[in-house]
Amino acid sequence: MAESSMSTDSEANIPDYEYVGVNSKPFHVGSFRDEWLKRLEPSDYSYRGEDDDDTFNAHFANDMGISEETMNELKAVCSPDSLLCHPEDQQPDPDVVPPDATLRTLIQRKKKQDYKASKRIKKNRHDRYADELDRLIVVGKPESEDDMIPEGEIILSINVYYPAIIEKFIHIRPHMTLLMTGSHSLADLRDGICCVSDLQVCGEFSNTPDMVPDFISKDHFKSAFFFFEGVFYRDMRFPECRDISMTIIEWAKTRNFPTFSQADMEHTKFADLTVKVGFPYLYCHQGDCEHLIIITDIRLAHENDCLNKKLYPLMTHKDRVSTQKCAVCHVFIGRWFTTNDRFAPSDPCLFCDKCFRMLHYDSQGNKLGDFLAFPYVDHGAFN
């Protein structure tokens, strides 16, 4: 297996900028973790190494040079309990603004709530960001110690971008952001990536619209690869998988490119990789659906992370795209697109399932006219 080799030079495994503010120089992920563990005390990255409140207060008072009485007074004055504006026996709903509020922030919040209630407004970007933060903390620690991420493990933050097959998706924010640990394999990342290309159904079904098969492209075309630092990591877990990277390797040999190597993604862990932080890499599946993959951060796990390794890859961000509505009703999401269709206002044309059947079939389900119909999976399927 042609995995990235581990460097013996410790300085080479400490990331440094290749281009300032853009990306780092290549370094070995596992060696980078080892360099951190050499320089830190076990208590620095231990999940159970936090002091209790009394010990923390004593250390804080000593560092600040204040007495115990002053420390107790600070705790009483700065305690969140002193910020309550309601009786202790009442627990008001934090989402409900009192009708007689005088605080300007509450008045503005009340106006915004009333405006949102009068409009069909879904979550804005601030609400979605709050949801992303909740995903990081709500899961907490696992019930079983076997599912706990070990102390000293590394966590990678990975941005997955839209495939560059549509003009408006070329320059856009990440499609999704995933957290991975160093012990996860590239196959785990591949299984965690959601792409609408995997949901496509191939074939023409104008004569049998009720017999669209249940299988999707991902069930039939399972081949894929990642490309990191001159190595193609292939998905060869299933008998039907093909090495689609060989086409590129053979093409590169005829044009005097550097020699590329290969490895199996299911046998390659993130700790085995040599990568650049901030540098765009490639994920290719379905033959020609290409995504940019950018590792934006590599750090040690801490106690506030999701420590249940079964929940990884952990999605922390998911972009939302506009759905394509039916060309007739402009209400429902498109499910069929047709060509050579005399009933359609354009060619090709997108229809929801209801409008498609009402326009193209009689009451007995017989096809009207000569047209071609293909199942359509909207890009907003993962919204």
Side-chain angles (χ1 to χ4, degrees):
M1 184 172 65
E3 293 183 3
S4 303
S5 60
M6 180 185 298
S7 174
T8 57
D9 184 6
S10 62
E11 294 298 324
N13 296 315
I14 299 176
D16 191 12
Y17 276 122
E18 182 177 32
Y19 298 100
V20 177
V22 180
N23 64 268
S24 71
K25 296 178 180 179
F27 63 94
H28 189 267
V29 176
S31 300
F32 174 56
R33 175 197 59 196
D34 296 339
E35 292 297 327
W36 266 116
L37 298 183
K38 289 179 185 178
R39 290 163 170 76
L40 296 175
E41 297 294 333
S43 59
D44 294 331
Y45 53 85
S46 173
Y47 304 148
R48 305 172 182 84
E50 295 294 329
D51 298 329
D52 56 27
D53 290 342
D54 294 336
T55 306
F56 173 81
N57 293 336
H59 289 165
F60 184 83
N62 182 64
D63 293 341
M64 298 297 294
I66 59 178
S67 63
E68 181 178 355
E69 293 76 10
T70 305
M71 184 65 193
N72 292 332
E73 183 180 357
L74 283 174
K75 287 177 59 180
V77 173
C78 300
S79 172
D81 295 336
S82 64
L83 301 177
L84 298 178
C85 57
H86 56 82
E88 294 183 358
D89 57 344
Q90 296 181 6
Q91 294 296 328
D93 187 349
D95 295 328
V96 177
V97 179
D100 54 348
T102 57
L103 195 63
R104 288 187 178 272
T105 54
L106 292 180
I107 294 174
Q108 293 300 322
R109 185 178 181 184
K110 179 64 175 176
K111 290 181 179 179
K112 183 175 292 187
Q113 286 183 349
D114 294 341
Y115 175 76
K116 290 176 65 175
S118 63
K119 304 288 184 180
R120 293 185 58 184
I121 298 178
K122 299 180 180 180
K123 291 185 177 181
N124 57 30
R125 59 183 179 180
H126 305 290
D127 296 329
R128 292 198 294 270
Y129 179 65
D131 291 344
E132 293 169 8
L133 296 181
D134 290 341
R135 293 193 194 108
L136 297 177
I137 61 176
V138 71
V139 287
K141 296 181 180 180
E143 297 180 357
S144 173
E145 288 292 329
D146 296 335
D147 299 331
M148 177 80 74
I149 292 177
E151 296 177 351
E153 180 62 282
I154 53 174
I155 292 181
L156 300 89
S157 180
I158 303 173
N159 285 345
V160 182
Y161 287 78
Y162 286 99
I165 56 177
I166 298 179
E167 182 83 21
K168 67 176 182 178
F169 287 163
I170 295 178
H171 306 288
I172 200 170
R173 55 193 174 192
H175 170 49
M176 61 192 309
T177 300
L178 298 170
L179 295 184
M180 304 290 297
T181 69
S183 59
H184 279 92
S185 69
L186 290 175
D188 296 323
L189 174 61
R190 188 253 199 277
D191 294 338
I193 295 176
C194 302
C195 178
V196 71
S197 297
D198 289 331
L199 303 182
Q200 301 294 340
V201 178
C202 300
E204 196 277 321
F205 299 95
S206 61
N207 294 317
T208 56
D210 296 321
M211 297 180 61
V212 177
D214 294 331
F215 62 81
I216 56 179
S217 297
K218 192 174 183 178
D219 298 331
H220 278 257
F221 309 108
K222 299 182 180 181
S223 303
F225 68 81
F226 289 99
F227 180 75
F228 290 96
E229 294 298 317
V231 183
F232 287 95
Y233 297 94
R234 312 159 299 177
D235 189 352
M236 305 298 289
R237 291 174 290 175
F238 308 99
E240 55 267 36
C241 286
R242 297 173 52 196
D243 185 4
I244 59 177
S245 65
M246 279 304 302
T247 303
I248 303 175
I249 293 176
E250 293 173 356
W251 174 86
K253 288 180 180 178
T254 63
R255 287 163 174 79
N256 297 323
F257 277 86
T259 302
F260 297 120
S261 56
Q262 293 176 301
D264 294 338
M265 67 170 67
E266 60 269 26
H267 299 144
T268 305
K269 297 182 179 180
F270 279 96
D272 302 327
L273 295 177
T274 295
V275 298
K276 301 177 183 178
V277 172
F279 190 82
Y281 295 106
L282 177 65
Y283 166 58
C284 180
H285 67 125
Q286 297 298 320
D288 61 352
C289 187
E290 300 177 346
H291 300 256
L292 289 182
I293 304 289
I294 298 181
I295 300 174
T296 59
D297 186 29
I298 302 178
R299 59 176 176 81
L300 292 178
H302 54 75
E303 65 171 354
N304 293 327
D305 283 314
C306 170
L307 300 180
N308 189 344
K309 61 184 178 183
K310 285 187 175 182
L311 298 178
Y312 287 81
L314 180 63
M315 184 174 65
T316 61
H317 168 75
K318 175 69 180 67
D319 190 36
R320 297 175 64 90
V321 297
S322 300
T323 55
Q324 298 295 316
K325 297 299 191 294
C326 171
V328 176
C329 66
H330 300 285
V331 174
F332 299 108
I333 298 174
R335 290 289 181 260
W336 296 88
F337 75 89
T338 63
T339 59
N340 301 325
D341 186 1
R342 63 187 179 90
F343 302 110
S346 62
D347 188 11
C349 189
L350 195 62
F351 296 93
C352 66
D353 191 68
K354 185 176 181 179
C355 293
F356 170 73
R357 295 176 185 274
M358 290 177 64
L359 280 172
H360 298 90
Y361 301 90
D362 60 20
S363 58
Q364 283 75 39
N366 298 316
K367 180 180 176 181
L368 303 176
D370 184 18
F371 62 91
L372 301 178
F374 305 88
Y376 173 77
V377 181
D378 191 84
H379 286 279
F382 294 106
N383 284 348

